[in-house]
Amino acid sequence: MLSASVTVDPAFVVGPVRRRTFGSFVEHLGRSVYTGIHDPEHPTADADGFRGDVVELTRELGVSTVRYPGGNFVSGYRWEDGIGPVEDRPRRLDLAWHSTDPNLVGVDEFMRWAERTGVEPMMAVNLGTRGVQEALDLLEYCNVPGGTAWSDLRRANGAEEPYRVSMWCLGNEMDGPWQIGAKTAAEYGRLAAETARAMRMIDPDLELVVCGSSNSGMPTFGAWEHTVLTEAYEHVDHVSAHAYYYEEDGDLASFLASAVDMDHFVDSVAATADAVRAAGKHTKRIHISFDEWNVWYQKRAESRPPSGDDWPVAPVLLEDRYNVADAVVVGNLLISLLRHTDRVHAASQAQLVNVIAPIMTEPGGRSWKQTIFHPFALTSRHAAGEVLRLAIDAPTTDTARFGEVPVLDAVATHDAGTGEVVVLATNRSVTDEVTLDVDLRGFEGLRVVEALTLSNPDHTWTATADDDSSVAPRPNATAQVADGRLGAVLPPVSWSIVRLGPAA
């Protein structure tokens, strides 16, 4: 058995827990929209065709924001196709995912779904096949109260009040050769700056996200961010980051250490943004919108879109079935995002339903939680107040990809209003238990309120529509507080949350 120690002190604050860290993503991709959030034939469907069971699961998941409508899809999207009478809307080819979009769900439907679900919409504009004017038209439709062509059309379509969307993504992954209308950094940086400048003429208080590199493995990673931000720095607020992880060739140890890569990714983007800030003598600081992240097995057959003459509506795409190890990694990635709350001001797990998602549905039938649902829901529900900077002393384990990494990773939050402290921890060891000792003497008289651990001796177990009990977090009876110290035993390949509150 291995031993690790952690010191938690309320004086060492990273920054506030940001609700936008717990965002999600709905793209017109596969079954994310159609038979995902939208299924008019489902017994729980509302007047707009949205599934009530998915609405309830989204609320339980604790989602704060939802990025829409893409993703790669947005780079070919004509938003005007999705407004007005449904029977008059055109069917369009979606080149990004070789599918047909019937446009049954568009801006107005999504906004009504977001309101009913209690999430903040985060809109993306098409800077692939379109540009400044189309972005302005969409902004006018969404945010201007009335008295103009687009705002009056929104009112005629049933939305008297403006949606007042505050957060907007300026395109998506514009450096990717797979992207419709992909651009060089210089081309995109100029277009993003022009679009942002014009959008602020309508609403100067918008929060705008400029595209960073599609991932940290791109040949231009770092240089892309530097060029784009040099052009657009004063006109935007955030730069995007996207990262996906999966177990490859049976290398579980490296997979469990995926958060090491996320840590490095965030630090690298922040350093690049700060370099542009210094060189340009800017006063404000650019933050990070980590608006695509998850476990995604990109080499599986389900991740390859159709081809040829077949352009189906809502094909089965990217429908990964997640196991216990996947959930442990997702929990660790949430730890990384919280640890960087000083620079990561928003994040979106991709995606919400069916497509690499925590929620799965059957068309017209059942819905259920995947393993990755649980760490997200519990972290969103209980992380509050301020994120604390921890001192961690842990043994290391060897990985093929990242070298020696600590077997234990952790973060803690402190809510001064309730006095509650939440400790989130991951045991990355493939084989060994970890005895955890947490020094809480900086706080007065804490007791364990709840302790849950997600693990299973067979980390390959997955949830099904019939049973998820074998992969849901279970009480950890080893978590006890004595003399200002929390002790707990963490099984190998596990994620844990311990809530501590003032003694009664």
Side-chain angles (χ1 to χ4, degrees):
M1 183 179 291
L2 304 175
S3 298
S5 64
V6 175
T7 300
V8 186
D9 192 291
F12 297 99
V13 175
V14 180
V17 175
R18 303 180 192 278
R19 286 302 306 157
R20 281 179 173 169
T21 300
F22 305 106
S24 190
F25 182 21
V26 169
E27 181 175 0
H28 286 245
L29 189 180
R31 296 195 311 113
S32 179
V33 174
Y34 304 115
T35 73
I37 65 171
H38 185 264
D39 191 351
E41 303 304 315
H42 195 269
T44 68
D46 63 16
D48 282 319
F50 291 115
R51 293 179 59 141
D53 58 342
V54 173
V55 168
E56 291 306 314
L57 284 172
T58 302
R59 290 173 177 161
E60 183 181 348
L61 185 61
V63 170
S64 56
T65 64
V66 172
R67 183 169 173 248
Y68 176 87
N72 295 347
F73 171 82
V74 78
S75 290
Y77 183 47
R78 288 176 276 196
W79 69 269
E80 307 94 326
D81 291 344
I83 61 174
V86 172
E87 61 272 15
D88 295 338
R89 297 180 188 179
R91 294 165 63 90
R92 299 289 191 188
L93 296 182
D94 167 26
L95 306 187
W97 300 106
H98 202 87
S99 307
T100 297
D101 189 342
N103 279 302
L104 303 178
V105 172
V107 174
D108 296 306
E109 288 84 8
F110 174 74
M111 292 298 178
R112 290 196 291 271
W113 176 85
E115 182 178 11
R116 292 168 191 168
T117 310
V119 302
E120 177 191 358
M122 178 181 178
M123 292 294 290
V125 300
N126 177 359
L127 293 187
T129 60
R130 312 189 90 181
V132 178
Q133 186 59 60
E134 291 82 4
L136 292 175
D137 293 344
L138 178 57
L139 177 59
E140 180 184 323
Y141 186 87
C142 288
N143 283 17
V144 172
T148 65
W150 286 114
S151 63
D152 285 345
L153 181 57
R154 182 201 68 243
R155 297 171 69 188
N157 287 337
E160 184 69 24
E161 296 299 319
Y163 299 125
R164 299 199 184 281
V165 179
S166 63
M167 202 166 193
W168 295 78
C169 301
L170 303 174
N172 176 76
E173 295 185 354
M174 297 309 301
D175 63 336
W178 57 85
Q179 201 71 215
I180 305 167
K183 294 171 173 55
T184 67
E187 290 169 338
Y188 170 70
R190 182 61 183 270
L191 176 58
E194 291 172 346
T195 305
R197 188 184 300 111
M199 291 177 73
R200 290 198 189 280
M201 292 178 180
I202 294 177
D203 186 346
D205 296 324
L206 296 177
E207 290 186 60
L208 302 179
V209 182
V210 72
C211 290
S213 302
S214 301
N215 58 73
S216 61
M218 294 293 290
T220 56
F221 173 64
W224 169 277
E225 282 83 355
H226 194 281
T227 299
V228 168
L229 287 174
T230 297
E231 187 69 48
Y233 197 100
E234 277 302 315
H235 308 294
V236 300
D237 305 285
H238 312 276
V239 59
S240 71
H242 294 177
Y244 296 101
Y245 303 96
Y246 59 95
E247 182 181 347
E248 191 168 14
D249 300 326
D251 185 5
L252 178 60
S254 293
F255 178 50
L256 291 172
S258 294
V260 170
D261 181 79
M262 180 177 271
D263 290 339
H264 178 68
F265 194 169
V266 172
D267 292 342
S268 298
V269 173
T272 302
D274 288 347
V276 176
R277 177 176 183 255
K281 300 178 177 59
H282 303 286
T283 56
K284 75 174 185 179
R285 195 177 298 276
I286 295 291
H287 298 290
I288 296 170
S289 174
F290 217 120
D291 47 43
E292 287 190 33
W293 70 271
N294 205 350
V295 172
W296 174 17
Y297 288 84
Q298 299 183 28
K299 294 183 179 180
R300 288 179 178 171
E302 292 85 355
S303 289
R304 292 192 289 271
S307 59
D309 294 332
D310 185 21
W311 295 80
V313 174
V316 173
L317 276 174
L318 283 61
E319 296 198 12
D320 283 354
R321 300 302 173 96
Y322 292 113
N323 62 32
V324 171
D326 298 327
V328 170
V329 169
V330 164
N332 199 175
L333 296 176
L334 285 162
I335 288 172
S336 176
L337 291 171
L338 284 171
R339 178 165 49 239
H340 291 95
T341 194
D342 56 333
R343 297 311 297 264
V344 177
H345 282 208
S348 303
Q349 187 187 43
Q351 294 190 14
L352 181 64
V353 187
N354 291 327
V355 173
I356 52 174
I359 300 170
M360 295 297 297
T361 68
E362 295 174 344
R366 298 174 294 181
S367 59
W368 68 97
K369 307 169 188 174
Q370 294 229 64
T371 60
I372 65 172
F373 185 101
H374 302 291
F376 189 106
L378 287 167
T379 305
S380 176
R381 185 179 310 146
H382 296 303
E386 295 176 314
V387 180
L388 303 180
R389 195 177 309 279
L390 307 186
I392 301 175
D393 184 9
T396 60
T397 185
D398 186 56
T399 69
R401 183 176 177 188
F402 304 114
E404 294 288 325
V405 302
V407 295
L408 180 95
D409 196 16
V411 75
T413 64
H414 174 226
D415 187 338
T418 64
E420 187 165 280
V421 174
V422 175
V423 177
L424 304 161
T426 302
N427 179 1
R428 296 165 167 166
S429 174
V430 175
T431 57
D432 294 315
E433 291 182 337
V434 170
T435 299
L436 176 62
D437 174 68
V438 182
D439 185 344
L440 298 166
R441 288 175 294 179
F443 303 88
E444 289 291 334
L446 293 178
R447 63 181 179 87
V448 173
V449 176
E450 182 181 35
L452 298 171
T453 295
L454 192 155
S455 68
N456 193 290
D458 183 354
H459 67 267
T460 65
W461 279 30
T462 61
T464 67
D466 298 311
D467 179 30
D468 71 350
S469 60
S470 61
V471 296
R474 297 182 179 181
N476 186 338
T478 68
Q480 302 288 334
V481 173
D483 298 325
R485 307 185 82 91
L486 166 68
V489 177
L490 309 183
V493 192
S494 68
W495 174 87
S496 299
I497 180 169
V498 181
R499 294 172 52 217
L500 302 119

